Amino acid sequence: MSSETAAATASATSLDVFNRRESEVRGYVRAFPTVFDRATGSTLVDADGREYLDFFAGAGVLNYGHNNPAFTAALVEYLERGGIIHGLDMATSAKKAFIEAFERFILEPRGLAHKLQFTGPTGANAVEAALKIARTATGRATVVAFTNAFHGLSLGSLAATGNSHYRGAAGVGLDDVARLPYDGYLGPDVDTLDLFEKMLDDAGSGLDLPAAVIVEAVQGEGGINVASASWLQRLRRITEERGILLILDEIQAGVGRTGAFFAFEESGIVPDLVTVSKSISGSGLPMSLLLLRPEVDVWKPGQHTGTFRGNNLAFVSARVALETYWADDAFMRQVAAKSALLRGELEQIAAEHPEQGFTVRGRGLFQGLVCDGDRTLASRVSKEAFTRGLVIETSGAFDEVLKFLPALTITDDELRRGLAIVRESLAAVLAG
Ligand SMILES: *Cc1c(COP(=O)(O)O)cnc(C)c1O
């Protein structure tokens, strides 16, 4: 055994090889410095057997928890029977069953006539496809995106993303996006769409008629900012009246996170384009979808292609997830109850620390404790919580928001245990 191998095996959670060989770009491993080995539900276990409660859920990929047994059984069975794993975008039984389930459990009950485009497997792939078809369909270049938006890091999607940390790595111009203030950006008393509407109708504003507007109903990476239903309704009206396409980026807020399958449902609007990824496969396998209103689906055959648009294993677990959780409203009723528990506890934590001026914002199991007074606090609490066995992330341009994103399948007991760790961690950090 070489000395390096010996050293590596000395501690199963040693990060030496990562520090030695993995690019400086690595991110989450710095915030959660251990070697994870297995997981179930809302519990992660590292290679030393240490358990962590998960309030992060893979940034919203694991809405149904880790290794949900219903999905694992279907995946194992599919593998064992020699089901197609890769098929480009050819028709397969797994894909057929997924489309049928998505039509039956999601599109039809919501009266959505949208067609499905299977893009490459990342969220950014779906956003790129949405931006491209919006520009192609309208023949216009400008896309409006909002402050604190996060739409991905490939060039087209990065142009729509707000955060300067990410934008700084582009290396080329991030063009053809106009930035406007998101709901609440100028405080609770200003309707930021007044500006947009005025600019659209003013030949002197310098804003070209946009191809599309891209928006998150709840901004995940940008600090858990929530757009009100009335703001989204007005945005839909403004865009519809002028032939501007409306793209809802549901990659993080979708698949039940806010208490409905789509975060835009509460507002009753019908977007032209909807991007879905993160939790759509249920199992954590990569998968992305773009929903298009039939009138917008002006692609020519094979015009926007890609090798990995048919992750058939993902289709299998995605189909089982729809059948298991979306056949009736039982799952969303449970999520509503858990959301109320989480929200109530967070408001209590805020009330326990009036000197910090904490605020709470979010929808469903997508909540943030906003630590604006001392912007380093949320990161310090996240770090402290990890040493106490809780994985919890921050969000916002200054990492000033402690982000609560547990699996939707988390138990009340697990929620309470995690919140107790947050309380202890906060107390420890404040005691300094
Ligand atoms: C994560 C995310 C993306 C990008 O998805 P990737 O799979 O990381 O490319 C886009 N939009 C939103 C809202 C996201 O949360």
Side-chain angles (χ1 to χ4, degrees):
M1 196 188 270
S2 75
S3 60
E4 268 183 18
T5 317
T9 49
S11 164
T13 53
S14 161
L15 292 168
D16 288 352
V17 73
F18 299 91
N19 295 332
R20 189 164 70 241
R21 284 290 177 178
E22 195 182 2
S23 161
E24 291 307 312
V25 80
R26 62 194 190 280
Y28 291 121
V29 61
R30 300 175 195 264
F32 308 114
T34 190
V35 177
F36 292 105
D37 184 55
R38 48 193 202 280
T40 174
S42 290
T43 304
L44 288 151
V45 187
D46 76 12
D48 281 339
R50 184 151 197 245
E51 292 194 358
Y52 298 83
L53 204 52
D54 189 359
F55 267 20
F56 184 34
V61 170
L62 298 158
N63 283 4
Y64 309 99
H66 293 265
N67 292 316
N68 190 306
F71 311 161
T72 305
L75 292 172
V76 168
E77 195 229 26
Y78 187 79
L79 285 170
E80 284 184 338
R81 79 170 178 81
I84 295 281
I85 297 293
H86 177 79
L88 296 162
D89 75 343
M90 290 185 272
T92 64
S93 339
K95 186 172 180 178
K96 180 177 179 177
F98 167 75
I99 299 174
E100 286 170 349
F102 196 79
E103 181 176 52
R104 171 165 171 217
F105 296 117
I106 305 302
L107 296 177
E108 281 176 350
R110 291 163 183 78
L112 297 172
H114 293 63
K115 299 221 275 177
L116 272 58
Q117 179 180 354
F118 294 84
T119 68
T122 71
N125 284 127
V127 171
E128 291 290 345
L131 297 174
K132 196 195 267 189
I133 195 62
R135 287 173 169 139
T136 301
T138 60
R140 302 191 289 263
T142 302
V143 167
V144 165
F146 292 97
T147 49
N148 287 305
F150 186 87
H151 298 296
L153 301 184
S154 55
L155 283 180
S157 63
L158 180 57
T161 290
N163 193 307
S164 58
H165 173 64
Y166 299 126
R167 295 176 65 84
V172 296
L174 295 171
D175 299 329
D176 297 318
V177 170
R179 187 78 42 191
L180 280 159
Y182 190 72
D183 191 15
Y185 190 70
L186 298 168
D189 301 327
V190 177
D191 184 341
T192 57
L193 291 176
D194 288 346
L195 177 65
F196 186 29
E197 193 156 28
K198 168 134 198 184
M199 289 179 81
L200 282 169
D201 296 337
D202 175 6
S205 73
L207 178 66
D208 297 327
L209 183 66
V213 171
I214 184 166
V215 65
E216 299 153 89
V218 180
Q219 294 183 326
E221 299 305 298
I224 324 292
N225 306 303
V226 182
S228 70
S230 59
W231 190 86
L232 286 174
Q233 288 156 4
R234 184 175 176 200
L235 182 62
R236 176 68 284 193
R237 203 160 51 239
I238 290 171
T239 49
E240 196 159 28
E241 282 166 7
R242 294 164 179 82
I244 301 165
L245 298 175
L246 181 60
I247 307 169
L248 260 288
D249 183 345
E250 291 273 333
I251 290 171
Q252 192 161 159
V255 194
R257 176 56 59 189
T258 66
F261 189 84
F262 296 113
F264 65 75
E265 274 177 57
E266 182 202 56
S267 69
I269 63 165
V270 180
D272 299 296
L273 294 153
V274 183
T275 55
V276 186
S277 183
K278 291 207 163 93
S279 268
I280 185 65
S281 80
S283 55
L285 289 166
M287 176 173 168
S288 271
L289 275 183
L290 174 63
L291 312 184
L292 318 96
R293 273 186 46 236
E295 305 87 300
V296 183
D297 185 24
V298 298
W299 292 116
K300 297 193 171 61
Q303 198 175 23
H304 186 80
T305 179
T307 306
F308 291 111
R309 290 173 299 139
N311 186 347
N312 281 270
L313 265 187
F315 297 156
V316 169
S317 51
R319 190 241 325 141
V320 177
L322 296 174
E323 290 169 352
T324 309
Y325 292 99
W326 298 95
D328 57 38
D329 65 356
F331 184 46
M332 283 301 97
R333 278 191 276 112
Q334 289 163 18
V335 167
K338 283 175 215 188
S339 305
L341 169 67
L342 173 60
R343 180 73 185 217
E345 289 281 325
L346 292 180
E347 274 164 7
Q348 213 170 311
I349 290 173
E352 286 160 16
H353 298 276
E355 76 292 350
Q356 296 294 332
F358 293 147
T359 52
V360 182
R361 62 187 182 219
R363 251 205 303 137
L365 282 174
F366 202 5
Q367 299 285 336
L369 183 68
V370 185
C371 311
D372 253 340
D374 171 357
R375 284 173 165 172
T376 68
L377 190 62
S379 297
R380 288 187 287 143
V381 172
S382 162
K383 195 168 174 195
E384 178 69 26
F386 186 70
T387 69
R388 294 163 186 263
L390 178 71
V391 172
I392 185 164
E393 241 298 68
T394 59
S395 111
F398 306 93
D399 294 325
E400 76 282 18
V401 181
L402 199 58
K403 182 183 188 189
F404 294 79
L405 200 73
L408 308 184
T409 54
I410 196 167
T411 65
D412 288 2
D413 177 57
E414 288 167 329
L415 256 185
R416 287 202 181 89
R417 266 200 291 135
L419 285 158
I421 296 175
V422 169
R423 272 203 171 80
E424 291 161 18
S425 306
L426 185 58
V429 167
L430 290 174

